Amino acid sequence: MKILLLGSNGQLGYEATRTLFCYGDLVAVDYPDIDFTKPDQVIKFIEEINPDLIYNAVAYTDVDKAEQETEKAMLVNCHTPGEVANYCKKNNVPLIHFSTDYVFDGQKKALYTEEDIPNPINVYGKSKFTGEQAIIESQCPHVIFRTSWVYSMRAGGFVKKVINWGQNNEELRIVDDQIGNPTWARMLAILSTLFVGNCDQNLDQFFSEKKGLYHLAGGGYASRFEWTKVIVENLPEEISSIVKSLIPAKTSNFPTPARRPLFSALDCLKFESTFNVKIPNWEKSTKLMLEN
Ligand SMILES: NC(=O)c1ccc[n+]([C@@H]2O[C@H](COP(=O)([O-])OP(=O)(O)OC[C@H]3O[C@@H](n4cnc5c(N)ncnc54)[C@H](OP(=O)(O)O)[C@@H]3O)[C@@H](O)[C@H]2O)c1
């Protein structure tokens, strides 16, 4: 089986490269070899590879910058994934794609299920939601995994930010009113590719039976403050000893260009029951990741 992974340098793509190579002949690429602001070029590239499965980890993930770079965010998160999905429909190629908890407005104040109606409140969330819709409307064989607060030791994730802040500050002020599911990129890569190994030659059957949208994020949920506490407590002594106090703050204390949903934690029961797995708890995953 030839697998094409798009976005191999990102947090998720880097880890997925290290799981998907077990399951077939893997071609893993990222910018500038593929540029999602140029949909025609991406489709031409895919035609040349002629894959049996596409795993799309490419995304425009800078939530604040997206408020200014709306067109770029829409191209990368919506238009090009939509074109990839059209290619997949035409050629009967299954597509694995990712979306975000930021499709929700955070007003529910309880875990969001796949049945809840999205209402994104920032450009990033809108671009990801319209990307989901483009894939669904294409009617290609697909699974879309909505995830949340992805972290790894690669640049960009929250854990990496806390480490950088901790190296330079005795006092950290962290918001306690943003609540979500911290999701280790490695765990996400493993769980989002498990079935690829299991279904072997029966990809068609798998995607016709299991096609659809799933919430897939770290088990349980936490505020940014609770998460930071666990991160700092598990950092090497030379960093954790610098941080003398962690102070809870409010989102309104840190104005940002993009609004964020305050409670966006996802209910992942549909994934757990369909794929017969128990998703590890966020705290356990955070500690294990920091051991590396
Ligand atoms: N990060 C989160 O907290 C979070 C939360 C919820 C959902 N998600 C979703 O989870 C998935 C994985 O996220 P992640 O954290 O792994 O993202 P990431 O680390 O930002 O990786 C995204 C990848 O896409 C690439 N990319 C960006 N613009 C591109 C373009 N124009 N052409 C080609 N490649 C381009 C990036 O390349 P460069 O590095 O060269 O820019 C990077 O390799 C995404 O679908 C994201 O929307 C993430």
Side-chain angles (χ1 to χ4, degrees), residues 18 69 79 120 147 150 156 218 236 244 255 264 276 290:
R18 281 145 188 80
E69 296 190 335
H79 299 308
T147 192
V150 178
K244 302 281 184 263
S264 59
N276 198 25
L290 288 166

Side-chain angles (χ1 to χ4, degrees), residues 6-14 29-38 42 56-63 72 75-77 97-102 124 128 145-152 154-158 183 185 188 224 227:
L6 305 169
S8 56
N9 289 335
Q11 297 193 93
L12 171 63
Y14 177 86
V29 288
D30 207 315
Y31 184 87
D33 293 328
I34 41 135
D35 182 351
F36 264 46
T37 63
K38 300 187 174 114
V42 172
N56 180 29
V58 168
Y60 183 109
T61 53
D62 191 324
V63 176
K72 191 171 176 190
L75 269 170
V76 175
N77 291 342
H97 181 79
F98 293 83
S99 186
T100 173
D101 54 329
Y102 280 13
Y124 169 71
K128 294 297 289 185
F145 294 120
R146 267 193 204 137
T147 192
S148 152
W149 292 12
V150 178
Y151 66 92
S152 72
R154 293 178 80 72
F158 185 71
T183 306
L188 183 60
R224 294 259 181 208
W227 188 22

